[in-house]
Amino acid sequence: MRREVTAAKAAGAVVCLLLAIYFAVAKDWRGVVLAVPAALLLGALALRDVLAPVRLAADEAGLTMVAGFSGRRRVAWGEVTDMQVDVRRRLTSRTELLEIHTEDGLHVFSAFDLGVPCSQALTDLREARDQARRRGMC
Protein backbone atom coordinates (compact mmCIF):
# COMPACT_ATOMS: atom_id res chain seq x y z
CA MET A 1 0.00 0.00 0.00
CA ARG A 2 1.28 3.43 -0.86
CA ARG A 3 2.24 5.42 2.21
CA GLU A 4 1.83 8.79 0.53
CA VAL A 5 -1.91 8.18 0.09
CA THR A 6 -2.25 7.33 3.78
CA ALA A 7 -0.25 10.45 4.67
CA ALA A 8 -2.49 12.55 2.40
CA LYS A 9 -5.59 11.20 4.16
CA ALA A 10 -4.11 12.03 7.57
CA ALA A 11 -3.05 15.50 6.40
CA GLY A 12 -6.53 16.09 4.99
CA ALA A 13 -8.03 15.11 8.32
CA VAL A 14 -5.80 17.60 10.12
CA VAL A 15 -6.65 20.38 7.64
CA CYS A 16 -10.38 19.69 8.03
CA LEU A 17 -10.03 19.71 11.80
CA LEU A 18 -8.22 23.06 11.68
CA LEU A 19 -10.95 24.40 9.40
CA ALA A 20 -13.58 23.19 11.87
CA ILE A 21 -11.83 25.07 14.67
CA TYR A 22 -11.57 28.19 12.51
CA PHE A 23 -15.25 28.01 11.59
CA ALA A 24 -16.22 27.47 15.24
CA VAL A 25 -14.27 30.55 16.32
CA ALA A 26 -15.88 32.54 13.50
CA LYS A 27 -19.29 31.16 14.56
CA ASP A 28 -19.88 29.78 11.07
CA TRP A 29 -21.78 26.65 12.08
CA ARG A 30 -22.37 25.51 8.51
CA GLY A 31 -18.60 25.29 8.03
CA VAL A 32 -18.28 23.31 11.26
CA VAL A 33 -21.01 20.91 10.13
CA LEU A 34 -19.10 20.29 6.88
CA ALA A 35 -15.54 20.21 8.25
CA VAL A 36 -16.05 17.92 11.27
CA PRO A 37 -17.51 14.93 9.36
CA ALA A 38 -14.85 15.35 6.66
CA ALA A 39 -12.12 15.28 9.33
CA LEU A 40 -13.65 12.20 10.96
CA LEU A 41 -14.02 10.35 7.67
CA LEU A 42 -10.49 11.10 6.47
CA GLY A 43 -9.10 10.25 9.89
CA ALA A 44 -10.96 6.93 9.94
CA LEU A 45 -9.70 6.05 6.45
CA ALA A 46 -6.11 6.90 7.43
CA LEU A 47 -6.47 4.86 10.63
CA ARG A 48 -7.73 1.86 8.66
CA ASP A 49 -4.69 2.12 6.37
CA VAL A 50 -2.44 2.02 9.44
CA LEU A 51 -4.30 -0.77 11.28
CA ALA A 52 -4.79 -3.01 8.22
CA PRO A 53 -2.06 -2.20 5.70
CA VAL A 54 -2.23 -5.68 4.15
CA ARG A 55 -5.72 -6.20 2.74
CA LEU A 56 -5.08 -9.57 1.07
CA ALA A 57 -2.45 -12.26 1.70
CA ALA A 58 -2.11 -15.77 0.29
CA ASP A 59 -0.30 -18.86 1.51
CA GLU A 60 -0.56 -22.62 0.99
CA ALA A 61 -3.66 -22.94 3.17
CA GLY A 62 -5.68 -20.13 1.59
CA LEU A 63 -6.34 -16.41 1.77
CA THR A 64 -6.36 -13.94 4.61
CA MET A 65 -8.35 -10.81 3.85
CA VAL A 66 -9.57 -7.76 5.69
CA ALA A 67 -13.06 -8.08 7.10
CA GLY A 68 -14.91 -5.04 8.39
CA PHE A 69 -12.87 -2.06 9.48
CA SER A 70 -9.61 -3.81 10.27
CA GLY A 71 -10.44 -7.41 11.20
CA ARG A 72 -9.13 -10.47 9.42
CA ARG A 73 -10.96 -13.35 7.75
CA ARG A 74 -9.38 -16.63 6.72
CA VAL A 75 -10.65 -18.41 3.58
CA ALA A 76 -9.34 -21.84 2.58
CA TRP A 77 -8.50 -22.41 -1.09
CA GLY A 78 -11.33 -24.92 -1.28
CA GLU A 79 -13.83 -22.16 -0.46
CA VAL A 80 -12.64 -19.96 -3.34
CA THR A 81 -14.93 -20.60 -6.31
CA ASP A 82 -13.55 -18.02 -8.77
CA MET A 83 -11.00 -15.23 -9.09
CA GLN A 84 -11.08 -12.65 -11.86
CA VAL A 85 -10.20 -9.08 -12.74
CA ASP A 86 -13.16 -6.88 -13.64
CA VAL A 87 -12.14 -4.13 -16.06
CA ARG A 88 -14.45 -1.17 -16.65
CA ARG A 89 -13.89 1.56 -19.19
CA ARG A 90 -15.76 4.86 -19.01
CA LEU A 91 -14.88 7.73 -21.28
CA THR A 92 -11.16 8.20 -20.66
CA SER A 93 -10.81 6.17 -17.45
CA ARG A 94 -10.07 2.51 -16.89
CA THR A 95 -10.77 0.77 -13.59
CA GLU A 96 -9.60 -2.67 -12.54
CA LEU A 97 -10.92 -4.57 -9.54
CA LEU A 98 -9.87 -8.00 -8.33
CA GLU A 99 -12.94 -10.09 -7.56
CA ILE A 100 -12.65 -13.16 -5.36
CA HIS A 101 -15.78 -15.29 -5.26
CA THR A 102 -16.11 -17.55 -2.24
CA GLU A 103 -18.85 -19.77 -0.91
CA ASP A 104 -19.84 -16.90 1.42
CA GLY A 105 -19.88 -14.08 -1.13
CA LEU A 106 -17.86 -11.69 -3.24
CA HIS A 107 -14.72 -9.88 -2.06
CA VAL A 108 -13.47 -6.94 -4.14
CA PHE A 109 -10.01 -5.34 -4.00
CA SER A 110 -8.59 -2.38 -5.88
CA ALA A 111 -4.99 -1.87 -6.95
CA PHE A 112 -4.67 0.54 -4.01
CA ASP A 113 -5.75 -2.22 -1.62
CA LEU A 114 -3.32 -4.68 -3.17
CA GLY A 115 -0.30 -2.45 -3.73
CA VAL A 116 0.15 -3.98 -7.21
CA PRO A 117 -1.95 -4.01 -10.38
CA CYS A 118 -4.97 -6.31 -10.10
CA SER A 119 -3.85 -8.48 -13.02
CA GLN A 120 -0.50 -9.12 -11.33
CA ALA A 121 -2.24 -9.96 -8.04
CA LEU A 122 -4.51 -12.40 -9.87
CA THR A 123 -1.50 -14.12 -11.44
CA ASP A 124 0.20 -14.36 -8.03
CA LEU A 125 -2.95 -15.76 -6.41
CA ARG A 126 -3.40 -18.38 -9.10
CA GLU A 127 0.25 -19.41 -8.68
CA ALA A 128 -0.20 -19.73 -4.90
CA ARG A 129 -3.37 -21.79 -5.36
CA ASP A 130 -1.69 -24.05 -7.93
CA GLN A 131 1.29 -24.61 -5.61
CA ALA A 132 -1.10 -25.52 -2.79
CA ARG A 133 -2.89 -27.99 -5.08
CA ARG A 134 0.39 -29.61 -6.13
CA ARG A 135 1.32 -30.09 -2.50
CA GLY A 136 -2.12 -31.45 -1.67
CA MET A 137 -3.07 -28.56 0.61
CA CYS A 138 -6.49 -28.00 -1.00
Side-chain angles (χ1 to χ4, degrees), residues 87-102:
V87 179
R88 305 274 171 133
R89 288 181 174 86
R90 292 194 180 115
L91 299 174
T92 60
S93 68
R94 181 176 187 268
T95 305
E96 283 189 358
L97 295 172
L98 175 66
E99 296 180 350
I100 300 174
H101 301 263
T102 65

Side-chain angles (χ1 to χ4, degrees), residues 67-86:
F69 185 74
S70 64
R72 300 268 184 240
R73 181 171 183 268
R74 188 80 177 136
V75 177
W77 284 119
E79 296 176 42
V80 176
T81 58
D82 190 25
M83 296 184 292
Q84 64 187 20
V85 174
D86 179 41

Side-chain angles (χ1 to χ4, degrees), residues 58-73:
D59 59 21
E60 290 181 354
L63 301 172
T64 303
M65 56 185 79
V66 169
F69 185 74
S70 64
R72 300 268 184 240
R73 181 171 183 268

Side-chain angles (χ1 to χ4, degrees), residues 77 82-85 119-134:
W77 284 119
D82 190 25
M83 296 184 292
Q84 64 187 20
V85 174
S119 54
Q120 180 184 342
L122 179 60
T123 302
D124 294 345
L125 288 175
R126 285 183 175 157
E127 260 181 42
R129 183 181 62 186
D130 292 345
Q131 285 180 359
R133 283 183 178 162
R134 283 192 294 270

